[in-house]
Amino acid sequence: MSEFLLLGLLFVITEVFIAVIFAVIAQLFYHKLGFNFKAIFKGIAERVFLFVTLVNGYTQALTFFSALKLATRLKHEEPKADLDGFNDYYLLGNLLSVLVAICYVYVYQHFASIHLFQLLSK
């Protein structure tokens, strides 16, 4: 299998897994069943943005990303009782998103030295 195909497959599998994880977390915090496809696509766009900028060495994009996330959060209003739950959900989601993007960068940069990918590439 080619490197591009393996990386693409890893991306798709990871994004499906993340969508399920966020659906479970949303169920715990908000008692909402199902998938929020708008949020899923926004998360994918965030991780692609972070991946592209970090692969190209623009680590300041993490600061830019944080500022954008904060700016979009400023007008968000939650009932006082739900505020802590939303803040926890928001923090967990952003940390997971950045962590996954950093993992994507690591896998991309070290593809040839990861034994599993060497086996699958043959």
Side-chain angles (χ1 to χ4, degrees), residues 3-30:
E3 179 178 342
F4 179 76
L5 185 59
L6 282 172
L7 289 172
L9 188 60
L10 174 68
F11 179 80
V12 169
I13 291 169
T14 304
E15 292 300 323
V16 168
F17 180 72
I18 290 170
V20 170
I21 293 295
F22 280 129
V24 169
I25 292 171
Q27 171 63 26
L28 293 173
F29 283 107
Y30 292 112

Side-chain angles (χ1 to χ4, degrees), residues 51-114:
F51 172 76
V52 169
T53 56
L54 293 175
V55 160
N56 289 295
Y58 299 117
T59 55
Q60 62 271 27
L62 287 170
T63 304
F64 178 69
F65 172 75
S66 298
L68 282 176
K69 294 296 284 189
L70 181 61
T72 59
R73 171 85 169 90
L74 289 177
K75 291 287 186 176
H76 187 83
E77 292 185 20
E78 287 285 324
K80 185 70 174 156
D82 295 336
L83 191 57
D84 285 338
F86 179 80
N87 286 338
D88 292 343
Y89 180 74
Y90 186 79
L91 178 64
L92 286 173
N94 286 311
L95 287 174
L96 181 62
S97 202
V98 170
L99 179 65
V100 168
I102 290 170
C103 289
Y104 286 159
V105 171
Y106 179 85
V107 169
Y108 177 78
Q109 291 176 340
H110 297 91
F111 184 85
S113 63
I114 298 174

Side-chain angles (χ1 to χ4, degrees), residues 27-39:
Q27 171 63 26
L28 293 173
F29 283 107
Y30 292 112
H31 308 290
K32 293 180 182 177
L33 291 176
F35 293 99
N36 180 346
F37 289 103
K38 181 181 175 185

